[in-house]
Amino acid sequence: MKSPHPTIGGLLRSLRARNKWTLKQMSERSGIPLSTLSKIEHDRLSLTYDKLQQLSERLNIRMSELFAEETVNGGVPTVTARRSIGRVRDAVRIDGKNYESFYLCPELRHKRMTPAVTHLRARSLDEFGPYARNSGEEFVYVLEGTVVLHTEFYDPLPLQRGESVYIDANMGHAYVIGADSEAATIMTVSASDDDQGALEALMAAQGTR
C-alpha cells in the first residue's frame, strides 16, 4: 500500500532527477553504496535524521532541499508571495529512535525555515543517548504533554503545553517526555546558518531590521 506521506525515497529520486544525476553519480556524491541507495529510492530502506544531515552535507545542499518535492519551475524568485498549508497527512515522515517527525510543507523548495511536528519517544536522557546537534537555531513549542529539555550547558528545563523555547541547535540537546505525561508532542521550526543569513538579508531588504 502506498504511503500517504511523501517518502525519503521519493524525495531522493526527485533530487536526483533535478540534478540529472545517475544512481551511480549520486552514490559517489553522497557516499551511500549503490545498492543501499537503490533500496532507499524504492522505499525498502529509510534514513535517520542524523544520516539525512550527513547526506545534505555531502551533497552540499540545505536540509530543506531534501524535504522539498520537485516543482515545475526552477530557481528562486526574489519575491515569492507563496503560501503552503501544513497538514500532517501531506508531511514527510522521519521515524527515528527518539523522535517521530513530520516535516511540513514539503512542496516548497528553498525554504528559509523547516517546520515539523514531532512525537517524542525517550523518557530520560539515558534512554535518549548522546545529545543531538543541528546546524543553526531552533524554536520549539509544546503542543501536548510535558517536555523536558536537556542541554549540555543548562539545567533540565520542564516545558508545559503552550510553553516554548528558542535554542542554539549546535549546542547538544535532547527533548524527552516529562515524568507526568504519557506522551508529548512538539512543534519545531529550525533554520540553518545559511537559511538564517538569507532570512536576515530579506528582512533588511524589506526594512524590517
Side-chain angles (χ1 to χ4, degrees), residues 114-175:
T114 304
V117 172
T118 298
H119 302 305
L120 308 187
R121 287 181 167 157
R123 294 186 170 276
S124 68
L125 190 56
D126 287 340
E127 182 182 349
F128 188 94
Y131 282 125
R133 299 175 190 275
N134 312 322
S135 175
E137 298 178 323
E138 188 169 273
F139 173 80
V140 171
Y141 181 89
V142 180
L143 296 173
E144 177 186 3
T146 300
V147 173
V148 179
L149 168 61
H150 294 269
T151 63
E152 60 183 334
F153 298 125
Y154 298 95
D155 291 334
L157 174 66
L159 294 167
Q160 305 296 325
R161 178 180 179 181
E163 295 183 328
S164 60
V165 64
Y166 188 108
I167 67 168
D168 169 12
N170 295 281
M171 169 178 62
H173 61 281
Y175 300 100

Side-chain angles (χ1 to χ4, degrees), residues 2 12 17 32 35 52 103 106 139-140 150 164 183 187 190:
K2 186 177 179 180
L12 288 186
I32 299 175
S35 59
L52 287 170
Y103 288 86
F139 173 80
V140 171
H150 294 269
S164 60
M187 172 76 182
S190 57

